[in-house]
Amino acid sequence: MDPESVCFMAREIIILCRLDHPNVMKLEGLITSRASGSLYLIFEYMKHDLEGLLAAPEVKFTEAQIKCYMQQLLRGLNHCHSHGVLHRDIKGSNLLIDCNGNLKIGDFGLATFFHPNQKQPLTSRVVTLWYRPPELLLGSANYGVAVDLWSSGCILTELFAGKPIMPGRTEVEQLHKIFKLCGSPSEEYWKQSKLPHATIFKPQHPCKHCVIETFKDFPASALVLLEVLLP
């Protein structure tokens, strides 16, 4: 029960108490242990997570299933965002699924409150690397709901492709994978950018946007959504 852990858990509990939606994991209760000084959060039981299902060789999602999961994910995120909450770690292992195909967003350990006009800087050291948007990789401390939507775009491509689309090993490699798929910023952007890592991560050669060409076998409706989520 060190002070830092208590602070993080208190924030997570407050956030979970603010949210109430069918596609967000609901906090059912708390259990404390005086002997070990531990605090446990109690949630309903969900048999699967999206990452585990994608890793199973026998599982192949249909277009209808993918649409259903994405609709539930975006509905859950819309509820979070409309209540001033950024999740900041959307990935397959945090998207829980029951035996009836219901999806719920879980693990709000990195979540935070936000306001569109807030001046207080946020940490860029959030979101698991493969799902982290370029502005965070470049060190931005001023961001909003777009960080969760970028991660959702990565999930959408993963559902159709059956595997992560940008599995970078380092932050530099991750950003260059993003540039190769979504295109790199203009020369003018690099000159004007004040982000901390802009000069470090600038690619040697400019890259073109090629999301449509890369995923040309995806359904047309998925490509339209991808263009919004991975601009």
Side-chain angles (χ1 to χ4, degrees):
M1 296 290 282
D2 62 280
E4 189 174 359
S5 296
V6 172
C7 183
F8 271 104
M9 188 167 279
R11 184 177 67 181
E12 183 175 0
I13 292 169
I14 292 168
I15 287 173
L16 288 166
C17 288
R18 178 180 287 198
L19 303 174
D20 184 13
H21 190 272
N23 300 122
V24 175
M25 287 295 288
K26 186 173 180 59
L27 180 63
E28 301 289 351
L30 304 171
I31 292 180
T32 59
S33 170
R34 289 186 179 180
S36 63
S38 299
L39 176 63
Y40 301 92
L41 309 186
I42 311 302
F43 299 94
E44 64 186 294
Y45 175 69
M46 301 288 282
K47 189 170 185 178
H48 306 285
D49 64 66
L50 202 56
E51 183 181 53
L53 290 176
L54 279 167
E58 70 276 11
V59 175
K60 180 66 177 176
F61 293 128
T62 65
E63 182 180 340
Q65 285 175 308
I66 293 172
K67 284 182 176 180
C68 182
Y69 288 145
M70 285 303 299
Q71 185 181 61
Q72 292 182 81
L73 169 57
L74 293 174
R75 281 177 175 171
L77 279 178
N78 181 60
H79 177 76
C80 294
H81 296 162
S82 64
H83 284 73
V85 173
L86 294 178
H87 185 278
R88 302 198 300 183
D89 199 21
I90 294 296
K91 58 182 178 179
S93 59
N94 287 341
L95 302 178
L96 308 177
I97 299 171
D98 66 17
C99 294
N100 296 316
N102 296 308
L103 179 146
K104 295 178 186 283
I105 302 170
D107 194 349
F108 283 75
L110 290 179
T112 191
F113 292 112
F114 81 103
H115 189 277
N117 299 319
Q118 74 177 27
K119 298 294 188 288
Q120 185 178 355
L122 299 169
T123 178
S124 62
R125 306 296 297 178
V126 289
V127 187
T128 298
L129 186 60
W130 295 356
Y131 306 90
R132 193 179 303 168
E135 61 266 36
L136 295 189
L137 289 163
L138 289 169
S140 175
N142 181 23
Y143 54 84
V145 302
V147 298
D148 287 340
L149 297 179
W150 174 276
S151 303
S152 301
C154 296
I155 293 292
L156 175 57
T157 57
E158 197 169 324
L159 285 168
F160 278 110
K163 60 182 180 180
I165 56 157
M166 293 185 281
R169 291 167 295 182
T170 65
E171 292 185 351
V172 174
E173 184 180 349
Q174 187 66 31
L175 197 57
H176 282 208
K177 284 181 179 292
I178 291 172
F179 289 159
K180 191 174 180 181
L181 177 65
C182 301
S184 55
S186 66
E187 190 64 32
E188 192 65 26
Y189 170 86
W190 295 113
K191 289 179 181 177
Q192 296 180 0
S193 177
K194 297 179 180 179
L195 295 177
H197 308 316
T199 54
I200 304 172
F201 289 160
K202 180 184 176 183
Q204 291 183 336
H205 306 288
C207 304
K208 292 184 178 180
H209 181 86
C210 61
V211 170
I212 299 297
E213 295 87 340
T214 303
F215 303 116
K216 59 182 182 296
D217 295 331
F218 288 10
S221 57
L223 292 175
V224 171
L225 182 56
L226 267 183
E227 287 280 73
V228 176
L229 299 175
L230 301 179

